[in-house]
Amino acid sequence: MKKEKYCKIQFTCLGDKKGYLIAIEENEDIPFDIKRVFYIFDVDDEEMRGRHANRKSEFVMVALHGNCKVRVDDGKQKAVFTLSNPNEGLYLSKMVWKEMFEFSKDAVLLVLSNEKYDSEEYIRDYEEFVEEVRCSE
Ligand code: TYD
């Protein structure tokens, strides 16, 4: 699986008259080993989450229910994705600034990561993030 800085991933949806099922296997359906799973829900629609980049963690975000927007920024280019379908994920490599916002009341955002939680690898200051991107070139 080709790794871009960020991109949508389409999952295979197994559906029949009993309903739908999506299976996500590490290094098959997403491009990393899964070490952490968390989910975000009950977010006020005025609230913005994220506002950080990670030096080590990669992520795949899936709106299991409802919808939200994700602004991504690799220090050069910005894009906004809408997540509203459990058939698709948004892959984010390390060193991508992310902001999740406009959560619908019923939104449940599943997040998979290749790293366990370590607050030390989070960059929470945007100027520091841009400087680290610039220095890494
Ligand atoms: P935070 O990263 O600020 O959430 P968001 O990016 O969605 O705004 O995390 C909120 C709190 O949860 C913070 O105290 C750190 C803690 N946390 C963990 O303990 N483990 C985790 O995997 C994550 C993502 C957060």
Side-chain angles (χ1 to χ4, degrees):
M1 188 177 282
K2 187 166 163 273
K3 281 196 184 183
E4 299 178 50
K5 277 275 179 193
Y6 45 79
C7 61
K8 284 253 181 109
I9 298 173
Q10 297 300 318
F11 300 126
T12 303
C13 188
L14 306 167
D16 58 26
K17 61 179 177 8
K18 294 185 291 181
Y20 294 94
L21 183 151
I22 290 173
I24 300 175
E25 295 194 4
E26 57 185 9
N27 296 308
E28 297 287 342
D29 305 287
I30 61 169
F32 53 71
D33 293 336
I34 300 169
K35 287 209 187 131
R36 176 165 53 132
V37 176
F38 57 96
Y39 36 97
I40 297 170
F41 55 98
D42 257 346
V43 181
D44 194 278
D45 59 359
E46 308 247 304
E47 207 58 64
M48 179 172 286
R49 301 202 58 122
R51 283 190 166 138
H52 45 61
N54 295 73
R55 296 188 182 94
K56 294 193 298 183
S57 292
E58 300 172 45
F59 299 96
V60 170
M61 299 181 166
V62 185
L64 290 184
H65 198 258
N67 60 80
C68 72
K69 290 187 177 162
V70 186
R71 182 176 297 112
V72 293
D73 176 352
D74 63 8
K76 290 183 188 147
Q77 280 191 310
K78 296 179 201 217
V80 176
F81 293 91
T82 299
L83 293 178
S84 59
N85 191 333
N87 289 0
E88 65 180 21
L90 176 63
Y91 167 75
L92 307 179
S93 73
K94 61 186 180 176
M95 292 305 281
V96 171
W97 187 266
K98 62 198 102 41
E99 298 173 346
M100 297 86 85
F101 59 105
E102 286 185 24
F103 283 80
S104 62
K105 283 244 172 302
D106 57 351
V108 180
L109 184 66
L110 174 75
V111 186
L112 311 174
S113 179
N114 67 325
E115 294 285 345
K116 289 190 176 176
Y117 183 69
D118 172 10
S119 61
E120 296 292 306
E121 62 108 13
Y122 277 68
I123 307 170
R124 293 185 180 272
D125 180 88
Y126 184 72
E127 299 309 321
E128 191 182 331
F129 163 67
V130 171
E131 185 61 14
E132 284 198 30
V133 170
R134 203 183 57 77
C135 290
S136 69
E137 288 170 348

